[in-house]
Amino acid sequence: MEERRRIVVLTGAGVSADSGISTFRDNGGLWAKYRIEDVCTPEALARNRAQVIEFYNIRRRELLAARPNAGHAALSALELSYKVQIITQNIDDLHERAGSTRVLHLHGELRKLRSSHDENLVVPIEGWEQDPAATAPDGSLLRPFVVFFGESVPMYDTACRIVPTADVLVIAGTSLAVYPAAALAGYARPEVPVIVIDPGDPDISSIRNPVKVIKKRFTVGMAEAAEYIDALFDPGRKA
Ligand code: APR
């Protein structure tokens, strides 16, 4: 049986926008309402733990009320014909809830908490509200399982090894404003087609690959991208 073509998909907050989840840098986005240094840095957690925990409680409550959208479904359906690996900057679980099976979270996961001392000591959280006094199995206070600004991105090296395996790289719903995630676009083999799905203008100036821009919302653009991918690879060659 012939090896299936490999599709690597780098996603950001825009893919969850039509599920009612706020993006960060669009008008009215999260960083227009909150200061990063108040809710998304290790210093903020040390200085004002209650505010940081409340910020993620609000986002977790929003997530529990959200549903995957048509774009998540179209991306999940791609697994019927291709080997799909998602690398997401999102901390929501909408890709998984839509049925995608290989999802790497670069910036953590909202529905998990971790030890304050050990980033690998991770526990699930039931419901939306973290008890600020809850402790991890190592006895430390639990904190959101989220990579704050200024913290290392433990899954980045893994992601750097995945992107070069792509036969097509899809970039959807990310402004490509945050590093190191944004640098992943540069790890695709030079001849590999890149498909960008975004109604806005993400920074794709550093991408040297052949780029197909689908200037549409993810809910619509992902299905169009799937058709484009099918046209790239003769469907008969898919095992
Ligand atoms: N469909 C597709 N893309 C959309 C949609 C939509 N419906 N709505 C908005 N977008 C696009 C915007 O045009 C923008 O390019 O999604 C992108 C959102 O960009 P950001 O808000 O910067 O989100 P993201 O790129 O995921 O941010 C990266 O920054 O704050 C950190 O850790 C946080 O993971 C986050 C990282």
Side-chain angles (χ1 to χ4, degrees), residues 11-15 17-18 23-26 31 36 40 89-91 107 147 149 172-178 197-202 216-219:
T11 67
V15 306
D18 291 327
T23 62
F24 294 95
R25 294 172 184 82
D26 288 328
W31 298 146
I36 287 174
C40 194
Q89 299 169 87
N90 300 340
I91 58 177
H107 295 161
V147 177
F149 282 90
T174 176
S175 59
L176 292 172
V178 171
I197 307 168
D198 194 318
D201 296 302
K216 295 182 181 172
R217 305 181 76 82
F218 184 61
T219 42

